[in-house]
Amino acid sequence: MSESCSVCGKKFSGFMSAKIVCDSTKRDFAAYGKDVSGICEKCCSSLKDNLLKEVEAQKNELAKQVEETKNALLREVSVSTTPHDHKWDDKIKGIVTGYSVIGTGPLTEITSAWTDFLGIESGSYLKKIRLGEESAISMAKFQTAQMGANFISGANISITEATRGNGMIMVSFVGTAVQIGEPITRLEDFKKIVEQQQKLENLPIIVVAETEQIYKVATASAGQRSS
Ligand SMILES: [Zn+2]
């Protein structure tokens, strides 16, 4: 083993010497692809801060990519209310559904749908239902893409009161997923990005400790905080 820290150069032995970290800390860093066997405790702490910042930035970037790829994926799926051509019967992938529950406030607001329609009142009710529809359709489109299909035929939307009198409305969407023409291309991209995201989420929290004893205590209290 080296005699001094490979980052700050401080010696590991003697008066006021630098401290080496325990094996568990080394394992934490190894999960991030960093070998800290020749690095002192202090330098490990600043390395940890930098790593966590990097990972945070990567997570943000991936979240953006997930959103973009998902939107692109959904654009590849088209929806039609008419039944599909029976020539495509062998291309049916199955039923797809989407749901969305929205709060509209007291149902007396139902009257505002008309004022919304007439443009008299800028409107909550109709707008909310539209949003609910969009989200239910998106859900079904996403399911369609996951099945490797790109078309929803025979689509039907229904809107029902989810809880009586509480102003909760459920929008449900149902259709048949069919694969016609070119297969969708973005599903693999999407899967890859989500996998990367998962990997980052599964990284351990790094605990910088000199001994296994301290490591144990530190992880236990960190666990209590997060649970
Ligand atoms: Zn150092």
Side-chain angles (χ1 to χ4, degrees):
M1 208 189 77
S2 57
E3 285 173 18
S4 57
C5 170
S6 62
V7 177
C8 65
K10 221 171 168 187
K11 280 194 164 43
F12 286 128
S13 59
F15 181 63
M16 296 281 282
S17 59
K19 306 254 185 335
I20 309 166
V21 293
C22 67
D23 285 342
S24 292
T25 297
K26 287 176 192 165
R27 250 199 318 275
D28 285 351
F29 275 103
Y32 289 75
K34 297 279 178 197
D35 178 12
V36 294
S37 43
I39 300 176
C40 79
E41 189 187 0
K42 251 198 181 139
C43 292
C44 276
S45 288
S46 39
L47 182 61
K48 171 190 167 178
D49 293 342
N50 288 336
L51 269 181
L52 294 188
K53 258 181 233 157
E54 263 173 48
V55 168
E56 199 53 40
Q58 280 174 25
K59 277 185 186 170
N60 289 339
E61 178 54 33
L62 279 177
K64 239 194 321 192
Q65 283 182 30
V66 164
E67 199 55 31
E68 280 167 14
T69 318
K70 190 172 179 179
N71 287 338
L73 189 65
L74 295 186
R75 277 197 296 275
E76 289 191 67
V77 179
S78 10
V79 184
S80 166
T81 53
T82 49
H84 59 267
D85 194 315
H86 282 294
K87 275 188 295 201
W88 301 338
D89 277 354
D90 57 329
K91 297 176 170 79
I92 291 175
K93 300 281 183 180
I95 277 183
V96 284
T97 51
Y99 304 95
S100 170
V101 173
I102 44 173
T104 58
L107 272 184
T108 49
E109 271 187 36
I110 206 152
T111 50
S112 71
W114 294 106
T115 50
D116 282 347
F117 176 69
L118 297 170
I120 296 166
E121 207 172 283
S122 78
S124 56
Y125 188 81
L126 203 56
K127 219 190 240 167
K128 277 177 185 166
I129 290 199
R130 286 275 178 252
L131 280 176
E133 280 175 5
E134 245 168 60
S135 124
I137 293 172
S138 287
M139 193 186 279
K141 276 186 170 181
F142 189 58
Q143 195 186 358
T144 304
Q146 280 178 311
M147 288 172 162
N150 60 356
F151 183 68
I152 302 173
S153 70
N156 184 36
I157 283 187
S158 61
I159 296 169
T160 45
E161 200 181 351
T163 53
R164 191 170 295 173
N166 289 329
M168 299 292 280
I169 279 183
M170 184 160 84
V171 180
S172 27
F173 174 97
V174 62
T176 306
V178 188
Q179 167 56 44
I180 47 169
E182 292 295 305
I184 52 164
T185 53
R186 264 145 184 133
L187 189 60
E188 286 311 308
D189 295 348
F190 184 76
K191 278 184 189 162
K192 264 180 221 150
I193 299 168
V194 173
E195 254 167 46
Q196 282 177 25
Q197 215 179 17
Q198 216 58 48
K199 237 183 242 167
L200 288 187
E201 290 302 330
N202 289 337
L203 285 173
I205 41 164
I206 302 174
V207 174
V208 178
E210 187 193 333
T211 65
E212 294 295 340
Q213 187 63 30
I214 299 171
Y215 183 93
K216 241 181 169 168
V217 173
T219 41
S221 64
Q224 266 164 15
R225 268 202 307 275
S226 64
S227 65

